Amino acid sequence: MFDLPPIEIETAVNPSAAVIWLHGLGANGNDFVPIVPELNLPNALAVRFVFPNAPHLPVTINGHYFMPAWYDILSMDNGGRQINEQQLQRSADYITSLIEREITRGIPSERIVLAGFSQGGAVVYHVAAHYPKPLAAVLGLSTYFPTAASVTFETVNKALPIEIHHGSQDAVVLESLGLAAKQTFEDNGYTVGYRRYPMEHTVSPEQIQDIGRFLTKVLTQS
């Protein structure tokens, strides 16, 4: 199902931390590669960025057209999503295997950040909620939490730094969905940082600088 290998970028030799960053619907692992140099991470911080590629799936809301997708979206009602949770779980299992691969390569789980945009963020939320080892942080970008009602929250990551970014003009994933995800995590004992940007369903230059500062903070403290 996951035929294309992840794209990897290392900011320096012998990385001591990893960021696994998932793209959104219809994109691919190259989507966020150009952002890495713009993050302005410290030269002393050696990070391996891992950009997985979603499989090609028929997406119901797009006329069953095959495209890179972490799961099928069956319908969109009142701004929400009805999704194929089995496919999302398969994608979550795949991302979990990438976390485990980084651990076998010498990077402790508490030095691994999960990041995801839109659909990718939904998978990241699902993984982070029930992953049984401590992680460094979670970054949710213009995303939502479609499995919030069914996921089991593991206590090991209750201190996990979670940062959520959303555009106030996002018509694809409404900001109300981003705020609902924030509320879900807070209701389950997590502390969540939330940043709002005057943008649509995209990433802004100001936001990229904030992402760089967030990654620097969590990876220099962990």
Side-chain angles (χ1 to χ4, degrees):
M1 182 176 178
F2 296 91
D3 298 325
L4 294 175
I7 296 165
E8 295 187 1
I9 304 290
E10 295 183 357
T11 63
V13 296
N14 300 320
S16 62
V19 178
I20 301 175
W21 196 329
L22 281 64
H23 61 77
L25 177 66
N28 59 49
N30 287 293
D31 202 28
F32 288 101
V33 169
I35 286 177
V36 174
E38 299 177 28
L39 296 173
N40 294 318
L41 299 179
N43 293 332
L45 184 58
V47 181
R48 178 183 295 123
F49 284 85
V50 180
F51 298 101
N53 285 286
H56 278 68
L57 301 173
V59 178
T60 301
I61 62 165
N62 289 339
H64 301 279
Y65 184 79
F66 274 80
M67 63 180 61
W70 297 107
Y71 51 85
D72 187 17
I73 301 175
L74 305 173
S75 67
M76 297 171 60
D77 298 319
N78 300 319
R81 304 287 193 277
Q82 181 185 359
I83 71 162
N84 186 318
E85 290 198 21
Q86 184 178 16
Q87 290 176 341
L88 186 147
Q89 183 62 58
R90 283 203 297 267
S91 291
D93 291 342
Y94 173 62
I95 300 308
T96 299
S97 75
L98 294 181
I99 298 172
E100 295 298 319
R101 187 183 69 156
E102 290 307 305
I103 294 172
T104 64
R105 296 164 94 181
I107 297 179
S109 66
E110 60 268 23
R111 299 277 297 156
I112 299 174
V113 175
L114 299 182
F117 179 82
S118 198
Q119 255 205 355
V123 176
V124 162
Y125 284 166
H126 188 82
V127 173
H130 66 74
Y131 188 67
K133 301 173 186 175
L135 295 165
V138 163
L139 182 61
L141 308 174
S142 303
T143 189
Y144 58 107
F145 198 168
T147 56
S150 59
V151 73
T152 300
F153 289 85
E154 292 285 348
T155 58
V156 68
N157 273 307
K158 284 298 176 69
L160 180 69
I162 297 176
E163 179 92 345
I164 295 177
H165 294 179
H166 218 103
S168 60
Q169 302 162 26
D170 193 334
V172 178
V173 177
L174 301 181
E175 188 183 7
S176 59
L177 297 178
L179 290 168
K182 174 180 181 290
Q183 190 64 54
T184 294
F185 279 114
E186 289 178 340
D187 289 347
N188 283 276
Y190 295 81
T191 300
V192 182
Y194 189 88
R195 292 183 181 272
R196 187 172 188 256
Y197 301 88
M199 64 182 188
E200 299 180 357
H201 196 61
T202 185
V203 178
S204 71
E206 177 190 359
Q207 182 188 15
I208 292 170
Q209 297 307 305
D210 288 338
I211 292 171
R213 283 189 284 267
F214 176 72
L215 293 178
T216 299
K217 179 180 177 181
V218 298
L219 292 177
T220 54
Q221 292 180 348
S222 62

